[in-house]
Amino acid sequence: MSVATHVDVPSGSPARVDTPAPGDPRLERLSLNQKTTDRWSLAEAVAGCAEAGIPALGVWREPVADVGTTTAARMVADAGLRVSSVCRGGFFTVADAAGRRAALDENRRALDEAAVLGAPCLVLVPGGLPGDRDLRGARARAAEAVEALVPHALEVGVRLAIEPMHPIFAADRGVVSTLGQALDMAEPLPADAVGVVVDTFHVWWEPGVEEQILRAADRIASYQVCEWITPLPADTLLSRGMMGDGHIDFAHLTSLVSAAGYAGDVEVEIFNADVWAADGRDVVATLARRYVELVEPHL
Amino acid sequence: MSVATHVDVPSGSPARVDTPAPGDPRLERLSLNQKTTDRWSLAEAVAGCAEAGIPALGVWREPVADVGTTTAARMVADAGLRVSSVCRGGFFTVADAAGRRAALDENRRALDEAAVLGAPCLVLVPGGLPGDRDLRGARARAAEAVEALVPHALEVGVRLAIEPMHPIFAADRGVVSTLGQALDMAEPLPADAVGVVVDTFHVWWEPGVEEQILRAADRIASYQVCEWITPLPADTLLSRGMMGDGHIDFAHLTSLVSAAGYAGDVEVEIFNADVWAADGRDVVATLARRYVELVEPHL
């Protein structure tokens, strides 16, 4: 391997591998989740992916709405890219019936948008406690909401992808806390309608995660990679790191996801103030290097 | 209930119940973990408990060492108090054999000190990753270390209490992440030598925690209460709150611990910069009020 000529962000260390060029077969399954380059518009993200040779994009609803769903779909297709997922649906743990109906309606609209975009799945962030302390109740409402969305998901051909979230978010963002729990919710429902997200940041610590990933098998609707770093940044929502800067064994988890039969895109989704402050092209180059070094060899 | 005449710290809100007086039977099982009044010396903590009518103290090794173990034991007994636990042993996930031997020796000394203090248990904080990414390896070493300490624990009559820690600490402090996992470690070993800590902050989010607490039964060596608050304070180590200020259903968890058969002390252990900055006597009065309001009725 030749000497690296780049510097990684946000670590500032010399890259250990060269930046893969567009067309490099190692990039075939790489996807940029838009949140990683949070300051980029959809047009900038599409251009950034095309320039870097990243073939897929995980889009967020807000920047898609800025241009309109049909236009967004055309922008992605015109650049020769595909949409790997739409972020995000969910947030259906509200306690009152009117709020729950509104959340279901919003999720049906998100499914419609995902269908227009040709996305295989809609990522569901379950939502947190609605101001009370009834965690079991909130979890039950999340399960009921997913079930209620199944007919619409089947109708439009987009899979619901339940995202188990690190317990750090159990109170305020995601009451589904383990991959095992997400699979318990998904399994009674049709596999072509309901899957799960395996996000390394959220599940790396889970006892028995190995068995759960293999159990997940064709329920894995999305594989997302980012890093657990310490000390944890002050804002927990922005506490995710670039692969290689922390404690997660990407070889181990990626091998398991691969052994489980997952053949889809691998999204890099990093919420981090330092990453967001860096130039988008540098971030994309860094994540491509880290991906081909740490993740892709184990797919 | 009469009008409260106090203000709670750190929230600054009026207390909802009166401060229980010394001798109040509702205080019979309350214990102050020394860490909650971190600026107090052992002598101050002993005096503070005696003044407030709190009959038990969860001690830390460092302030005990400041006066010597025998003197510490006498100070506690002379004040008519008891030691509910010693914090802390553990930290045995180091990778090299010499480091592991040193950790075991240190834990045997901690067990000896706990015996002198008349403590029923030594709280074990397992330790984090030793610089690598082998979480399963670290977990296996933690389990081996607990097993290696069993003969000494039986000899001195002090129980090893494995503390599962919130996954936020899995990388840098505690690789045992769920009560279920702690019980898997404990169950092959003698129940009078190895138990677990149920700490509400660490386990409140765990899917199936109800079943795990009931499964724990006489393995529960210590019940600790403190709160999960949001937004999480910037320093995650100091992110614990006063009961009632956050998201945990203390009635629910306390009822389960009681139904599991636990009849020991209930320690209030709060790592929080605002709590530490407050006057120790105000902190103790506040926690006594919150305890009789939120925890004690469910024991």
Side-chain angles (χ1 to χ4, degrees), chain B residues 31-32 34 42 45-46 49 55-59 76 81-85:
Chain B
S31 173
L32 171 70
Q34 260 198 284
L42 182 66
V46 166
C49 279
L57 189 63
V59 301
V76 171
L81 307 179
R82 62 182 175 269
V83 174
S84 52
S85 77

Side-chain angles (χ1 to χ4, degrees), chain B residues 100-120:
Chain B
R100 286 208 296 280
R101 274 195 303 274
L104 289 177
D105 288 343
E106 190 61 39
N107 275 276
R108 291 190 188 98
R109 282 190 289 276
L111 283 167
D112 293 341
E113 293 164 20
V116 171
L117 291 160

Side-chain angles (χ1 to χ4, degrees), chain B residues 224-249:
Chain B
Q224 298 186 337
V225 291
C226 75
E227 181 68 283
W228 183 269
I229 52 178
T230 53
L232 211 65
D235 182 342
T236 54
L237 186 58
L238 305 184
S239 59
R240 308 185 198 191
M242 183 68 72
M243 299 84 73
D245 286 347
H247 304 282
I248 295 179
D249 185 345

Side-chain angles (χ1 to χ4, degrees), chain B residues 18-166:
Chain B
D18 280 341
T19 306
D24 188 316
R26 295 175 299 175
L27 297 180
E28 275 175 4
R29 292 173 65 184
L30 178 57
S31 173
L32 171 70
N33 185 288
Q34 260 198 284
K35 208 63 185 177
T36 306
T37 51
D38 194 52
R39 293 186 303 168
W40 271 356
S41 66
L42 182 66
E44 290 170 318
V46 166
C49 279
E51 185 187 333
I54 296 176
L57 189 63
V59 301
W60 279 61
R61 293 185 70 201
E62 297 76 3
V64 165
D66 287 343
V67 299
T69 311
T70 311
T71 301
R74 195 173 56 237
M75 287 164 61
V76 171
D78 286 352
L81 307 179
R82 62 182 175 269
V83 174
S84 52
S85 77
V86 173
C87 293
R88 56 198 180 173
F91 292 101
F92 29 46
T93 51
V94 285
D96 64 293
R100 286 208 296 280
R101 274 195 303 274
L104 289 177
D105 288 343
E106 190 61 39
N107 275 276
R108 291 190 188 98
R109 282 190 289 276
L111 283 167
D112 293 341
E113 293 164 20
V116 171
L117 291 160
C121 66
L122 173 69
V123 173
L124 300 182
V125 171
L129 293 171
D132 61 24
R133 295 180 173 84
D134 182 11
L135 183 58
R136 287 170 303 164
R139 286 170 166 167
R141 289 193 297 279
E144 286 164 17
V146 174
E147 183 173 6
L149 291 170
V150 164
H152 200 78
L154 290 172
E155 188 185 325
V156 301
V158 173
R159 215 166 177 205
L160 299 158
I162 304 168
E163 181 159 36
M165 301 193 80
H166 194 284

